[in-house]
């Protein structure tokens, strides 16, 4: 009775081993699929961050661009005012002529000369007033223009800094995506190795447990012909372990992270042309020296690591070990 109980316990243990191999196969399959999802999440995260930048920092950049453009437009108007008012002063200056009476005279023409002196005095007073008025107007316009230009130079620096911040943030998302993909791919490769080894181990355990269960049938059978028949079955047993096979998903390759727009940064000629030189205000209100971004303009994308190859597993069942038949009892 103790032997029978022990054999029953052993059978239950073997059934537990078989069931466990199936459960672990399902769990390993789920782990692999979850690992692939972790890799794909890297790209979706990068795309989400870039969309947020397009809404957030890009809007801040657009606001700084608009503010700078409006300031330069006002500066251009101020410069045109300077040119107009100061040209009026210069034209007046260059057109000054003494009264026609201003010529050499003889003493006997003293009355005429006195009248000319008075005319010149009146002319001088008028010229003095006009010179003070026109020169003052020119200087006032020039002072206002210089003040406006100083403000616009500050808004230019703020715009360039905002653009650099946006550009660097865009490049940073690409760098983070590349690292995320590389790290996730390496982690997945380690999981593939672990799953492959576990699969091979469980297949061996599955075959051993099924063989033991078959042998237990021999031991539990009391009818000799049936015992011999079961022994033959055990010897010819070929187990199908396909139920434990794992499907290894293809590892997603690293996608492209578009950095073309972010690579065109302040002080690059293309950037200067697009942002400043084509503007209607540029001729009258040219920009001051451009402030380049501190970060280098080279791409920060890392090379894509070579994915761990999916192991090739033999799908055919592993032959069961040959079992020595029990001797036929003598009648």
């Amino acid at each position: 009775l103790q032997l029978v109980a022990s054999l029953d316990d052993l059978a239950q243990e073997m059934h537990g081993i078989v069931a466990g191999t199936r459960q672990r196969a399902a769990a390993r399959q789920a782990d692999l699929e979850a690992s692939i999802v972790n890799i794909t999440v890297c790209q979706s995260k990068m795309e989400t961050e870039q969309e947020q930048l397009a809404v957030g920092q890009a809007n801040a950049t657009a606001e700084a661009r608009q503010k700078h453009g409006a300031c330069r437009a006002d500066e251009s108007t101020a410069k045109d005012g300077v040119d107009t008012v100061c040209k009026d002063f210069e034209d007046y200056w260059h057109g000054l002529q003494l009264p026609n009476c201003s010529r050499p005279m003889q003493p006997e023409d003293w009355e005429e000369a006195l009248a000319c002196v008075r005319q010149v005095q009146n002319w001088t007073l008028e010229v003095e007033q006009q010179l003070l008025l026109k020169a003052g107007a020119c200087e006032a316009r020039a002072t206002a223009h210089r003040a406006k230009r100083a403000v616009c130079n500050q808004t230019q620096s703020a715009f360039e800094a905002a653009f650099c911040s946006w550009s660097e943030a865009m490049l940073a998302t690409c760098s983070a995506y590349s690292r995320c993909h590389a790290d996730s791919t390496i982690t997945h490769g380690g999981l593939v190795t672990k799953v492959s080894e576990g699969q091979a181990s469980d297949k061996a355990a599955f075959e051993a447990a099924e063989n033991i269960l078959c042998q237990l049938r021999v031991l539990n059978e009391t009818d000799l012909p049936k015992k011999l028949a079961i022994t033959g079955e055990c010897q010819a047993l070929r187990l199908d372990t396909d139920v434990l096979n794992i499907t290894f998903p293809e590892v997603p390759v690293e996608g492209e992270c578009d950095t073309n727009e972010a690579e065109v940064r302040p002080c690059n000629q293309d950037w200067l042309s697009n942002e400043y030189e084509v503007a209607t205000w540029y001729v009258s209100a040219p920009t001051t020296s451009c402030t380049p971004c501190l970060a280098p303009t080279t791409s920060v994308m890392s090379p894509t690591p070579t994915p761990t190859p999916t192991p090739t597993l033999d799908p055919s069942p592993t032959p069961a070990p040959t079992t020595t038949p029990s001797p036929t009892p003598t009648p």
Side-chain angles (χ1 to χ4, degrees):
L1 291 177
Q2 290 181 349
L3 177 60
V4 172
S6 297
L7 292 178
D8 288 343
D9 290 343
L10 180 58
Q12 290 181 2
E13 186 176 349
M14 293 303 103
H15 283 300
I17 289 175
V18 171
T21 59
R22 295 174 184 270
Q23 293 171 357
R24 286 191 292 274
R28 291 185 181 111
Q29 187 69 63
D31 288 344
L32 285 173
E33 292 170 359
S35 180
I36 292 297
V37 170
N38 285 338
I39 297 176
T40 59
V41 163
C42 294
Q43 182 164 358
S44 62
K45 181 180 179 182
M46 175 268 293
E47 292 171 350
T48 299
E49 289 178 350
Q50 289 195 337
E51 288 174 2
Q52 292 173 345
L53 284 171
V55 174
Q57 281 187 288
N59 285 348
T61 301
E63 182 180 350
R65 177 189 291 111
Q66 189 278 331
K67 185 176 181 180
H68 174 246
C71 187
R72 291 300 185 190
D74 291 343
E75 180 191 342
S76 176
T77 300
K79 179 62 167 61
D80 292 342
V82 171
D83 292 343
T84 299
V85 173
C86 291
K87 184 176 185 301
D88 180 57
F89 165 71
E90 292 175 0
D91 290 346
Y92 181 77
W93 175 268
H94 292 301
L96 285 176
Q97 291 183 348
L98 292 170
N100 294 332
C101 68
S102 300
R103 56 184 176 79
M105 295 183 185
Q106 300 299 323
E108 59 270 19
D109 299 326
W110 68 270
E111 291 182 348
E112 182 182 354
L114 181 60
C116 184
V117 168
R118 290 172 178 165
Q119 186 177 352
V120 170
Q121 287 177 336
N122 293 334
W123 175 87
T124 301
L125 291 174
E126 174 65 21
V127 167
E128 181 182 10
Q129 292 177 353
Q130 289 297 318
L131 285 177
L132 290 174
L133 179 65
K134 293 180 181 297
C138 176
E139 180 57 31
R141 290 295 185 98
T143 299
H145 171 257
R146 286 192 295 270
K148 172 57 68 174
R149 180 161 179 79
V151 172
C152 292
N153 289 345
Q154 292 177 348
T155 61
Q156 175 187 331
S157 297
F159 167 53
E160 290 163 358
F163 200 102
C164 285
S165 178
W166 170 82
S167 175
E168 289 161 8
M170 288 291 287
L171 292 174
T173 62
C174 292
S175 178
Y177 165 56
S178 186
R179 289 194 303 270
C180 178
H181 186 278
D183 293 344
S184 300
T185 301
I186 292 172
T187 300
H188 180 76
L191 178 62
V192 166
T193 300
K194 182 179 178 180
V195 167
S196 300
E197 293 173 350
Q199 177 182 239
S201 175
D202 275 355
K203 282 190 174 186
F206 176 87
E207 292 170 349
E210 290 288 0
N211 274 287
I212 291 173
L213 287 170
C214 190
Q215 297 298 333
L216 287 175
R217 289 175 57 207
V218 174
L219 293 174
N220 287 328
E221 182 58 57
T222 58
D223 184 77
L224 180 59
K226 290 182 180 180
K227 183 185 290 286
L228 293 176
I230 296 173
T231 299
E233 291 176 8
C234 292
Q235 290 175 344
L237 186 62
R238 294 294 182 269
L239 296 172
D240 184 3
T241 59
D242 285 354
V243 68
L244 302 180
N245 282 352
I246 303 293
T247 300
F248 291 85
E250 183 178 353
V251 178
V253 298
E254 183 176 342
E256 282 196 27
C257 186
D258 187 6
T259 62
N260 291 335
E261 188 175 355
E263 292 282 4
V264 181
R265 289 144 65 85
C267 308
N268 291 351
Q269 185 54 52
D270 289 343
W271 190 89
L272 292 173
S273 298
N274 294 334
E275 295 292 346
Y276 297 154
E277 295 172 4
V278 297
T280 56
W281 45 258
Y282 186 75
V283 174
S284 297
T287 53
T288 189
S289 299
C290 180
T291 305
C293 303
L294 297 179
T297 58
T298 55
S299 176
V300 294
M301 292 290 285
S302 302
T304 303
T306 303
T308 302
T310 301
T312 303
L313 302 174
D314 185 4
S316 60
T318 304
T322 303
T323 306
T324 304
S326 303
T328 304
T330 303

